[in-house]
Amino acid sequence: MSKFAVFGHPVAHSLSPRIHLAFGRQLGIGLQYEAIDAPPELFFEALEAFAAAGGAGANITLPLKESAFGLSATTTERARRAGAVNTLARLDGQWHGDNTDGAGLVRDLTGRHQLDLRGRRTLLIGAGGAARGVAPSLLDAGIADLFLVNRTPQRADALADALGEPARVHPRHIGDLRELGEFDLVVNATSAGRGGELPQLPRSLLGMRSVAVDLSYGEAAIPFMAWARAHGAYRAIDGLGMLVEQAAESFALWHGERPQTDEVYAELDARHAALVTAD
């Protein structure tokens, strides 16, 4: 039976094992899937031990996505554009890296939530592995200007350079938020919600038709979702749908068949599902 895992730090909260096992049942594919906690300094050793034990593929979550890119022998074009990897496949004794985050986010927003992303003035908060994973796909989906903000300006600048579209992509310091005006789409790609705290986000970012999206889900998404609702966002969406859709993309890479995702939502814990939208 093939072995798979999700690596992160922390990772005990992850729904990925439940999701992938549900996909396996749906398609009649037997597999093992576990969550492995690996702090950044021990990630390489943990990944090698997993490979030695027969690991065939892995999902990578915070804060290891950029490290996974560096450990990959080869990478897909979308992983290279992101400079981050969230999916690893073991082939010919080497790790091959891909990034399914952006595809998962866009599929969730445009499919399940029926959003038209074209022409949306967009703010992306954060410049780490999560932000890197979704930025290229948002641009490909037809958003208008993409503003990148981060506490460390150099990281926002580096992401903007990697995206290579200076006419559409604008790096800014997080302290400039009050000057940027209203956005059609605000995406939180930071992990600040895990500690229950968010950067100071001005109310002026949101209008009556603004959509706010947190790439986290469950308890980690509560602070941003609460901020968005309190300040009048038209819709507030957490990252549960993105998690399921990117998992389906990863599953297809490993097994050659993409599962249906609608069935999986029904199997998820109600306390997570209740946080998906606030229409």
Side-chain angles (χ1 to χ4, degrees):
M1 188 175 292
S2 298
K3 295 183 179 181
F4 301 88
V6 56
F7 287 81
H9 183 67
V11 77
H13 67 284
S14 178
L15 292 176
S16 291
R18 183 183 299 185
I19 291 168
H20 280 271
L21 291 174
F23 287 158
R25 289 193 299 271
Q26 178 190 132
L27 297 175
I29 297 172
L31 60 98
Q32 297 178 3
Y33 194 109
E34 62 181 318
I36 299 176
D37 193 303
E41 65 273 15
L42 299 178
F43 176 43
F44 175 76
E45 290 80 2
L47 191 60
E48 288 302 294
F50 175 66
N59 291 123
I60 311 298
T61 189
L62 297 174
L64 305 173
K65 295 182 181 183
E66 291 172 89
S67 296
F69 180 83
L71 294 175
S72 300
T74 63
T75 52
T76 61
E77 180 182 357
R78 59 187 179 182
R80 290 192 293 274
R81 287 181 71 195
V85 157
N86 83 323
T87 303
L88 291 168
R90 191 73 173 175
L91 298 171
D92 302 322
Q94 295 181 310
W95 288 114
H96 298 260
D98 196 359
N99 197 307
T100 65
D101 279 340
L105 176 64
V106 170
R107 190 177 183 106
D108 181 52
L109 295 181
T110 60
R112 205 159 60 95
H113 295 289
Q114 297 294 300
L115 295 178
D116 186 349
L117 298 180
R118 292 174 296 179
R120 288 184 181 261
R121 187 172 189 259
T122 300
L123 174 66
L124 181 59
I125 306 168
R132 285 178 166 272
V134 301
S137 293
L138 288 172
L139 291 170
D140 291 347
I143 63 168
D145 288 340
L146 175 63
F147 287 79
L148 308 172
V149 298
N150 194 65
R151 281 198 176 101
T152 306
Q154 293 85 349
R155 287 181 66 79
D157 290 340
L159 176 52
D161 290 343
L163 292 171
E165 295 195 37
R168 296 171 67 195
V169 179
H170 316 286
R172 295 289 190 271
H173 187 270
I174 201 164
D176 298 334
L177 281 175
R178 294 187 183 279
E179 305 170 8
L180 299 182
E182 183 180 307
F183 289 89
D184 304 307
L185 180 65
V186 178
V187 180
N188 179 35
T190 74
S191 58
R194 292 175 185 259
E197 297 182 0
L198 279 176
Q200 290 295 317
L201 302 176
R203 183 174 192 150
S204 58
L205 299 176
L206 297 177
M208 293 180 61
R209 303 299 297 176
S210 299
V211 176
V213 178
D214 198 319
L215 301 190
S216 298
Y217 62 92
E219 293 182 4
I222 289 175
F224 180 78
M225 299 282 282
W227 170 82
R229 291 166 177 157
H231 292 90
Y234 172 63
R235 299 183 72 179
I237 300 170
D238 83 350
L240 181 63
M242 170 183 161
L243 175 73
V244 174
E245 296 297 341
Q246 66 81 24
E249 297 284 330
S250 296
F251 193 95
L253 289 172
W254 295 331
H255 303 286
E257 187 173 359
R258 193 183 198 279
Q260 297 295 316
T261 54
D262 288 344
E263 298 177 19
V264 174
Y265 291 111
E267 296 189 32
L268 296 176
D269 189 276
R271 73 186 182 90
H272 295 290
L275 292 171
V276 175
T277 59
D279 293 334

